[in-house]
Amino acid sequence: MIKVDHISKDFISPKKYPGLKGAVKGLFSSEKTVKTAVDDISFTIQKGEIVGYIGSNGAGKSTTIKMMTGILTPTRGECTVAGIDPNKRRKENAQNIGVVFGQRTQLWWDLPLSESFTILKEIYNVSDDDYAERMEFLNRVLELQEFFDRPVRTLSLGQRMRADLGAALLHNPKVLYLDEPTIGLDLVVKDNIREAIKEINEKYQTTVILTTHDIGDIEELCSRIIIIDEGKKIYDGSLTELKDIYGTKREVSMEIKQPEKVKELHFARLFGVEEEDCRSEFDKENSVLCVTFDKHKIQAPQVLSAVMDVAEVTDVQIQETELAEIVREIYHHGVIER
Amino acid sequence: MRKSLKIYLPFTLNELKRQMAYKGAFYLFILISMFGAFINYYLWMAIYSSSDKTTLGGMTQNEMIVYVFMVYVTSSVVSISIANFVSDDVVKGTVAMNLIRPIDYRLSLISRAAGNMIYHFLVPSVFIWIGVEIYKVKVFGLPAVSVWNILLYLSSCVMSFLIYVLFDFCFGMIAFFTTYIFGLMMIKNALLGFLTGQLIPISFFPEVLQRAFDFLPFSSMVYTPVMIYLGKYSGKMLGFMLIRQAVWVILLYVLGSLIWKKVTKRLVVLGG
Amino acid sequence: MGIIVMNKCKRYLRLYRVLVSQFLKTIMQSKVDFLMGLFGFFFSQIIGIAFLYLVFQQIPSLQGWTLDQLIFIYGFAQIPRGIDHLFTDNIWLVAWRLVVNGDFDRYMLRPMNIFFQVIAEKLQPDAMGELLVGVILVVRSLTRGVLIVDGPHVVLFFVSIFAGALIYTSIKLFFAGLAFWIKISGPFLQVAYQMSDFAKYPTEIYARGIRFLITWVIPFAFVAYLPASFFLKAGTSAMIIGIECGIAVLFWCIAYAVFERGTHVYESAGN
């Protein structure tokens, strides 16, 4: 459905010098600074996939999305969306895509929401039958009727996001781009939005690409993620694989009746592993022991039985490393080694 | 006096700095503002060449050309719109904050306007003024303006500035009652351009209207200082013109205070 | 081919109606603003007439032009200006804001012509002030009998108005289009637009440089003064209207090409 082929985007700006003198100097100098926001990125996305496109602020996420939607023209490389180059045939491409930019609404601010939909129906040339069918569906998953007659400016952020999502889907686009779709929303609304995206994807086989900082979005929605950093693609694969490679840490917390006995245990030595592959720590009240270890080297039952040998355990919890942490790690260390 | 200078001088300096920061775009706006002067210049040249009289409205062609450019110099220094400031403050909702602070709102506006005035004097008025003087002496062979006349002109300008901003303050109060002050400002600017003598010397108006204008503050805003510069007034007439300006400063000051009292009362009631 | 073009036109007309009627709904809530804006533009143009009137108390004619003739030139200039102002005022926003803050994105995302979207987003009712002045002064000129009234002149009158409005739009679009390269082109647009003030009077009063500038570089002379003389002076060749149309088309093509090219170098915001 989407083919991105060695795409790059440079932003060229005249070199700026400080102060009044600098401004005059700037007028006469032709020095330029080139910033490569997206650097030689390629990927292919199949119909019906939901792909999370993640990276830190300024990594080049939005720039890539803007190139795929036809807003920006790539400096090098090209991409095709549903067989169309968005830059050469912008209008046709626009008919194929739906876009929600979290921070910016594409609705008519002063008009009732219903009017926005009437206008969009005309703009995208949606037939009456399609319109009725689509509205019925959107009303069900997004519950638009609650605020359908209110001016957009009076909607809450959550309502506006639902409205924007509905507006982007009215013409049944083949590809849906979502830029930070859940930013600033409360948990219940987030959940609603995610459910809606899932349902749309299932019902219409809509390809969805979303950028987000919310790890929950990715865990709930994306079967595949692409991570970019400083304009370069550093990971492209499934979520489970990412966790497998990077999320090797596992954590066991145990509530213990006789903590003083456990304190004498030295876990790393006990299992014969490096210090950093197995750490232990008590909480402030000295009742919960938390052991963090490499799941490829040690099994959780081993830890459990070692503790239970010396003390009584009343409660156990085993936790995988959160995706959030993985992502944070990646941002810190850069490229993933495989 | 020193204390209030300490309070209000920063307003002036900030405004001056703010203006300096615009740079590029600002020079283009100067260019635009000069269009009017140049159109008038060519228009008057054509008008004089179409007339068989050497003086029109009491002015020779050379005097008229000096008039056109000195009107530009004077009005760009004198007419600083503080109604814009007021309407900005109302839109941004910072008026209430200004009421809380222990300063006089109007004085703070006038101080800001003073910053603008100084800037406009430096860029570009003073240079055009010098240019006009050189042109006048070299090309027209007219005598250079005397130091005495320069001093009179400058003090008249200061009063013109005060008349303008005090009047504009009263006008700016409308911003409290409507959000779309743009249309009214256009009307005001058009009307002032006409009545202050910017577009055409007051002496071109029919006798009746000239009498009527004597009772309005507008001719004191631009026309009076330029005529003083041209040396058109002397003796008693000169004194009268300056006193009339001073009277307008006082009258408009009092009027502004009265309106401001009414408006703030309303603000307190409604909650600005 | 013809049918496709016609369907496209129909579709865009329909879209225009839908978009504009929505816009009108939102502004009709503020009738007072509308009236003030209208009156503001009306009034500032009327002042110009008062100026001419006062001047003509002193002289019988201005380089061969009578007051009635000058009033016609002045009023005639307002009509194309008003038409352009009414329909394409949103171009100003492109120059000042939409490109630099990234709001231009929304036009790039919809399956419609971008220029169409820009102008369909807004009507500027203030322009009625200028149109009103223009129409009143032209009607006055008719009653004073200073105009040549016959079939070709009437037809060319409307042609000239349309071409004049197109010249206005082209100049605005050209300078607004520069915003794609320099982010904010408002000041330049303002300078260019303000040049139109020169064209309210006979251009032969100006120095040669200025005359050349407003005739061939920023061709406002072709909006008002030059065609107006065709309607005023018997024996003026209709060629002048032909040249006006030629210039309108040429400038439109240049401006549109620049704008279109600009949408491809558009950098959005946030970088």
Side-chain angles (χ1 to χ4, degrees):
Chain A
M1 180 59 65
I2 299 177
K3 211 168 161 281
V4 172
D5 194 13
H6 296 287
I7 209 168
S8 298
K9 181 73 189 175
D10 296 339
F11 289 108
I12 301 169
S13 51
K15 209 164 185 174
K16 284 206 178 85
Y17 304 93
L20 185 68
K21 256 191 194 161
V24 175
K25 199 174 163 194
L27 276 178
F28 298 104
S29 98
S30 55
E31 277 183 85
K32 302 270 201 300
T33 31
V34 178
K35 189 185 157 247
T36 305
V38 170
D39 193 358
D40 196 31
I41 284 181
S42 304
F43 52 80
T44 317
I45 292 170
Q46 304 302 323
K47 186 175 166 64
E49 270 192 286
I50 302 187
V51 178
Y53 197 63
I54 55 180
S56 54
N57 283 326
K61 284 174 303 189
S62 296
T63 307
T64 321
I65 299 272
K66 281 174 183 168
M67 284 192 280
M68 290 194 278
T69 53
I71 294 176
L72 295 178
T73 309
T75 313
R76 288 174 296 280
E78 58 180 31
C79 67
T80 51
V81 177
I84 292 171
D85 183 336
N87 271 288
K88 300 205 174 92
R89 290 151 71 192
R90 189 192 62 78
K91 276 180 274 184
E92 284 166 79
N93 178 61
Q95 188 74 40
N96 282 337
I97 64 169
V99 179
V100 178
F101 287 155
Q103 309 287 35
R104 244 180 219 143
T105 182
Q106 58 156 327
L107 301 165
W108 280 257
W109 200 241
D110 294 313
L111 295 179
L113 183 58
S114 53
E115 303 264 14
S116 280
F117 275 80
T118 316
I119 302 174
L120 288 168
K121 174 180 181 294
E122 292 295 332
I123 289 176
Y124 288 96
N125 232 345
V126 180
S127 72
D128 290 344
D129 290 347
D130 284 350
Y131 182 77
E133 190 256 0
R134 211 67 37 72
M135 285 315 291
E136 198 264 328
F137 171 75
L138 292 175
N139 264 328
R140 188 165 56 73
V141 295
L142 295 167
E143 291 164 347
L144 300 178
Q145 66 277 12
E146 277 175 42
F147 44 82
F148 205 51
D149 296 317
R150 295 214 334 243
V152 173
R153 69 183 134 76
T154 67
L155 302 185
S156 72
L157 189 59
Q159 291 171 328
R160 215 207 70 207
M161 191 53 75
R162 278 145 70 193
D164 252 314
L165 194 55
L169 288 164
L170 185 68
H171 57 292
N172 193 14
K174 291 179 185 151
V175 183
L176 177 63
Y177 299 96
L178 304 168
D179 195 9
E180 305 275 357
T182 58
I183 197 164
L185 302 180
D186 68 47
L187 285 173
V188 181
V189 183
K190 266 186 195 176
D191 243 29
N192 282 341
I193 298 267
R194 287 172 191 160
E195 277 310 311
I197 295 172
K198 260 193 240 176
E199 255 192 79
I200 290 150
N201 170 260
E202 272 160 31
K203 175 153 186 192
Y204 295 105
Q205 283 294 297
T206 312
T207 309
V208 181
I209 296 173
L210 71 137
T211 75
T212 181
H213 281 112
D214 190 318
I215 300 305
D217 288 349
I218 297 171
E219 290 191 314
E220 288 278 319
L221 293 170
C222 307
S223 49
R224 174 178 167 197
I225 54 177
I226 296 172
I227 305 179
I228 67 162
D229 193 39
E230 291 180 357
K232 291 197 172 67
K233 186 170 91 171
I234 56 175
Y235 179 80
D236 183 352
S238 73
L239 187 57
T240 40
E241 200 187 349
L242 181 74
K243 280 185 175 173
D244 234 30
I245 302 165
Y246 226 83
T248 53
K249 293 275 191 291
R250 190 167 284 195
E251 210 179 81
V252 181
S253 341
M254 291 160 280
E255 224 177 286
I256 293 163
K257 273 201 170 163
Q258 306 91 357
E260 61 288 344
K261 287 187 179 166
V262 182
K263 276 190 180 162
E264 290 159 16
L265 286 176
H266 193 287
F267 289 95
R269 216 175 299 154
L270 195 65
F271 300 121
V273 294
E274 296 285 312
E275 198 72 26
E276 64 186 38
D277 287 333
C278 188
R279 293 169 192 281
S280 60
E281 200 179 35
F282 268 99
D283 72 338
K284 281 182 198 121
E285 284 107 55
N286 256 335
S287 60
V288 178
L289 172 71
C290 179
V291 183
T292 317
F293 55 90
D294 189 325
K295 70 178 178 189
H296 295 313
K297 297 196 171 132
I298 303 165
Q299 304 296 306
Q302 284 179 281
V303 180
L304 210 56
S305 69
V307 176
M308 280 159 80
D309 278 348
V310 293
E312 203 176 324
V313 176
T314 50
D315 195 15
V316 181
Q317 253 187 329
I318 304 179
Q319 265 183 331
E320 291 271 346
T321 322
E322 296 252 341
L323 181 60
E325 221 144 284
I326 300 178
V327 172
R328 208 173 304 135
E329 286 274 298
I330 293 172
Y331 291 166
H332 270 282
H333 299 298
V335 183
I336 303 172
E337 288 146 33
R338 306 177 79 164
Chain B
M1 184 65 199
R2 265 187 68 184
K3 197 176 150 229
S4 60
L5 204 64
K6 217 172 174 179
I7 297 172
Y8 294 104
L9 194 63
F11 284 98
T12 307
L13 295 178
N14 276 337
E15 192 61 26
L16 199 55
K17 274 186 211 149
R18 202 172 67 85
Q19 293 286 349
M20 297 280 200
Y22 278 133
K23 287 183 297 221
F26 188 83
Y27 298 116
L28 285 174
F29 287 124
I30 291 174
L31 186 69
I32 293 169
S33 71
M34 293 207 57
F35 281 1
F38 277 106
I39 293 173
N40 274 355
Y41 165 78
Y42 286 111
L43 212 47
W44 283 113
M45 295 283 271
I47 290 165
Y48 275 90
S49 73
S50 305
S51 170
D52 37 7
K53 283 174 276 183
T54 48
T55 58
L56 294 178
M59 283 197 230
T60 65
Q61 181 174 341
N62 290 346
E63 278 176 331
M64 185 57 94
I65 286 161
V66 176
Y67 180 88
V68 165
F69 286 98
M70 283 317 285
V71 155
Y72 172 76
V73 169
T74 312
S75 67
S76 66
V77 170
V78 160
S79 43
I80 310 295
S81 172
I82 60 177
N84 276 336
F85 297 158
V86 178
S87 124
D88 270 4
D89 283 347
V90 171
V91 171
K92 286 189 203 137
T94 48
V95 168
M97 220 175 67
N98 280 306
L99 289 180
I100 295 164
R101 286 195 287 178
I103 52 165
D104 184 274
Y105 182 55
R106 181 168 55 169
L107 258 179
S108 73
L109 290 176
I110 294 175
S111 308
R112 278 173 69 187
N116 252 314
M117 174 184 74
I118 294 167
Y119 184 67
H120 284 222
F121 182 74
L122 296 174
V123 212
S125 284
V126 72
F127 298 101
I128 293 169
W129 182 9
I130 293 168
V132 169
E133 265 311 301
I134 293 173
Y135 197 79
K136 193 176 96 180
V137 176
K138 290 271 173 207
V139 180
F140 298 159
L142 293 171
V145 67
S146 68
V147 179
W148 175 239
N149 261 10
I150 290 179
L151 287 177
L152 283 173
Y153 167 70
L154 288 178
S155 41
S156 174
C157 276
V158 170
M159 285 197 282
S160 291
F161 165 75
L162 288 173
I163 295 169
Y164 189 92
V165 291
L166 288 169
F167 169 81
D168 212 42
F169 177 78
C170 300
F171 177 81
M173 291 300 106
I174 298 170
F176 287 99
F177 304 97
T178 168
T179 48
Y180 193 77
I181 195 173
F182 176 72
L184 284 176
M185 287 212 197
M186 270 189 79
I187 297 172
K188 181 200 76 176
N189 288 339
L191 206 58
L192 283 189
F194 203 45
L195 299 181
T196 58
Q198 279 182 53
L199 211 51
I200 185 165
I202 305 282
S203 55
F204 277 73
F205 285 87
E207 201 67 16
V208 195
L209 281 180
Q210 286 190 43
R211 288 284 86 71
F213 290 169
D214 282 343
F215 297 95
L216 292 171
F218 305 114
S219 62
S220 292
M221 288 177 183
V222 178
Y223 187 63
T224 304
V226 175
M227 291 307 266
I228 289 176
Y229 185 84
L230 285 171
K232 288 282 176 187
Y233 300 138
S234 58
K236 267 191 192 151
M237 189 65 173
L238 180 65
F240 173 71
M241 285 299 169
L242 290 172
I243 290 168
R244 196 171 73 177
Q245 281 193 306
V247 169
W248 275 117
V249 172
I250 295 163
L251 280 180
L252 286 167
Y253 183 84
V254 173
L255 182 67
S257 303
L258 290 177
I259 296 178
W260 180 238
K261 232 178 235 161
K262 279 249 156 70
V263 170
T264 40
K265 229 176 236 161
R266 197 184 114 104
L267 269 187
V268 174
V269 174
L270 294 174
Chain C
M1 186 64 195
I3 293 173
I4 294 173
V5 171
M6 223 168 80
N7 280 342
K8 221 173 180 175
C9 284
K10 258 194 200 155
R11 183 171 135 67
Y12 272 104
L13 276 175
R14 188 180 155 83
L15 278 171
Y16 191 76
R17 219 191 52 225
V18 172
L19 289 167
V20 165
S21 66
Q22 299 304 340
F23 170 76
L24 288 178
K25 271 183 213 164
T26 61
I27 63 155
M28 274 311 151
Q29 294 151 359
S30 46
K31 290 195 191 71
V32 181
D33 293 356
F34 166 68
L35 284 175
M36 283 202 297
L38 185 151
F39 196 64
F41 277 91
F42 182 83
F43 199 78
S44 33
Q45 300 303 343
I46 284 295
I47 289 289
I49 298 299
F51 170 74
L52 284 179
Y53 176 81
L54 288 181
V55 167
F56 272 83
Q57 299 303 302
Q58 310 285 337
I59 51 172
S61 70
L62 183 70
Q63 295 196 342
W65 297 93
T66 65
L67 178 61
D68 282 339
Q69 288 176 325
L70 285 186
I71 286 178
F72 172 72
I73 296 175
Y74 198 99
F76 179 68
Q78 300 306 317
I79 297 180
R81 183 189 175 90
I83 291 175
D84 165 74
H85 189 188
L86 178 64
F87 289 109
T88 74
D89 202 41
N90 213 30
I91 292 176
W92 283 96
L93 280 190
V94 175
W96 279 111
R97 269 221 301 277
L98 298 177
V99 170
V100 70
N101 71 10
D103 278 342
F104 199 83
D105 284 9
R106 67 168 179 265
Y107 303 128
M108 305 288 286
L109 292 172
R110 294 198 173 127
M112 291 182 284
N113 178 283
I114 293 175
F115 173 74
F116 170 80
Q117 293 183 61
V118 172
I119 60 162
E121 203 166 72
K122 190 177 168 190
L123 275 185
Q124 179 50 274
D126 290 357
M128 300 306 275
E130 289 159 335
L131 282 174
L132 209 59
V133 173
V135 170
I136 290 172
L137 295 182
V138 168
V139 169
R140 174 188 179 279
S141 304
L142 279 173
T143 61
R144 306 280 290 198
V146 290
L147 296 179
I148 302 161
V149 186
D150 59 22
H153 277 82
V154 171
V155 172
L156 288 179
F157 179 82
F158 290 103
V159 171
S160 172
I161 282 175
F162 178 77
L166 189 61
I167 289 175
Y168 260 103
T169 307
S170 306
I171 290 170
K172 270 160 67 179
L173 189 65
F174 175 85
F175 284 96
L178 295 184
F180 292 112
W181 286 271
I182 62 174
K183 301 288 177 201
I184 298 176
S185 64
F188 297 98
L189 173 53
Q190 189 111 27
V191 172
Y193 192 77
Q194 218 76 29
M195 299 279 293
S196 63
D197 284 349
F198 283 92
K200 288 193 290 200
Y201 305 107
T203 51
E204 62 244 35
I205 67 171
Y206 301 116
R208 206 180 285 156
I210 296 179
R211 214 186 314 167
F212 180 80
L213 188 69
I214 58 170
T215 309
W216 303 110
V217 183
I218 299 177
F220 281 120
F222 275 105
V223 175
Y225 165 65
L226 292 173
S229 54
F230 171 70
F231 302 107
L232 287 169
K233 287 189 173 166
T236 312
S237 161
M239 263 307 282
I240 198 79
I241 308 291
I243 299 173
E244 183 192 6
C245 292
I247 283 188
V249 171
L250 177 71
F251 273 72
W252 166 253
C253 290
I254 294 171
Y256 191 77
V258 167
F259 180 77
E260 162 66 23
R261 183 80 207 97
T263 59
H264 287 280
V265 302
Y266 173 58
E267 290 195 337
S268 191
N271 292 295

